[in-house]
Amino acid sequence: MNEVLSQDEIDQLLQAISSGESESDDFKPVSDTRRIKIYDFRRPDKFSKEQIRTVSNMHETFARLTTTSLSAQLRTLVHVHVASVDQLTYEEFIRSIPTPTTLAVINMDPLKGNAVLEIAPEITFIMIDRLFGGSGDTGGKVNRDLTDIEQSVMEGIIVRILANMRESWTQVIDLRPRLQQIETNPQFAQIVPPTEMVILVTLEIKIGDEAGMMNICIPYLTIEPIVSKLSSQFWFSSVRRSSTTQYLGTLKEKISDVEMALVAEIGSLNVPIRDVVGLRVGDVVRLVNTKITDPLTLAIGNKKKFYCQPGVVGKKMAIQVIGKIEEEDKEDFEELSTANEGEESI
């Protein structure tokens, strides 16, 4: 907070300086306390901190999905988490990865341009060994190119990983990533000029006791059309919106294929268990509280939902739904359950 000095205070201050009573250490240049940040105009930052944070949140979801899918595919415990999200030039990314390595060139449809998915060699050969029936112990670092069979195996793994990427990007865009090719030499994966800025998502993968890195490199030119959507406000609003529309439709689609047992119940009777054990073929059970004109109840699973009546369609027995059963109160249900304890219903 700024404070205005009076004329007397200014005179006393000047007198103290001229007489040497005030030490020079008491007066420090303002520049000494400022924090200076170096800015390179040759590689300007393209992404704000908020956009990087949003990308990090998206790939936290991607990491959780990949943890589950790789654990199921490799039949062992796999843990994936986001180690860092940075922006740098494509040349710096290419220089930071080993040779040879597993480089997958990804088509980012409907976005224009490609991205790169890089999996470290130590992780690549552990995955291959697991899928070939091994224990995943490669006996140290393996430094060689992939064979044709190994490359085909890695294609299957990468396709699964890309499915997780599509789901994690759903809140921003309906991304449809597609594997174009796999390279082992970074020099053959020049998807953008060396000086072009990219966003680099580094994930740490731990398979058993072994750990390694997986990198996702996305050029700025590729995601430039959706940069405005990489904000916390858009992200959280999309989550709320999709939870009531897209996910609801998906749930309905999945539930529609669930098979449930349907039981048409004529009636029920409480009898001792000894009478149930003594029943034989041809015995008649009289339902005291049920009339011949009463409708049947149709139970779905273990819950009564509809009233129905019996009939015949062709040569087959059938039922016709004639009404819906209102939901019973919880208290009535509890009383009914208490009354039926120790007895058998048929």
Side-chain angles (χ1 to χ4, degrees), residues 82 101 194 207 211 263 343:
V82 177
T101 187
I207 305 177
V263 178
E343 297 181 333

Side-chain angles (χ1 to χ4, degrees), residues 110-217:
L111 299 175
K112 296 181 180 179
N114 299 322
V116 170
L117 174 68
E118 187 263 337
I119 303 176
E122 55 268 24
I123 294 299
T124 297
F125 287 102
I126 291 175
M127 292 178 177
I128 292 173
D129 187 66
R130 288 291 306 177
L131 292 177
F132 283 171
S135 62
D137 184 9
T138 57
K141 293 186 177 180
V142 182
N143 188 16
R144 62 173 175 82
D145 291 338
L146 297 175
T147 64
D148 292 342
I149 295 178
E150 290 171 342
Q151 184 168 324
S152 178
V153 170
M154 286 305 300
E155 286 178 0
I157 294 176
I158 292 171
V159 167
R160 278 203 175 192
I161 293 175
L162 295 183
N164 298 331
M165 179 184 289
R166 176 177 183 176
E167 187 167 348
S168 63
W169 279 68
T170 303
Q171 312 302 336
V172 176
I173 186 176
D174 183 17
L175 189 66
R176 296 184 296 275
R178 187 175 66 254
L179 175 63
Q180 278 194 346
Q181 61 188 35
I182 293 180
E183 298 288 350
T184 56
N185 191 334
Q187 300 301 323
F188 297 141
Q190 292 292 338
I191 60 174
V192 289
T195 57
E196 180 62 34
M197 295 298 295
V198 300
I199 191 165
L200 179 65
V201 182
T202 301
L203 302 104
E204 183 178 8
I205 303 180
K206 189 173 183 181
I207 305 177
D209 296 331
E210 301 293 332
M213 294 297 178
M214 178 172 67
N215 295 305
I216 301 175
C217 174

Side-chain angles (χ1 to χ4, degrees), residues 59 83 125 306 339:
H59 287 87
F125 287 102
F306 301 99

Side-chain angles (χ1 to χ4, degrees), residues 40-55:
D40 189 351
F41 287 92
R42 293 174 298 180
R43 42 164 296 179
D45 293 342
K46 299 281 190 176
F47 303 93
S48 66
K49 291 183 178 180
E50 183 183 16
Q51 291 167 346
I52 291 179
R53 191 181 306 112
T54 302
V55 172

Side-chain angles (χ1 to χ4, degrees), residues 298 304-308 321-327:
L298 181 63
K304 297 177 181 180
K305 298 294 292 183
F306 301 99
Y307 292 114
C308 59
V321 176
I322 58 175
K324 184 177 180 180
I325 300 176
E326 298 296 333
E327 295 290 337

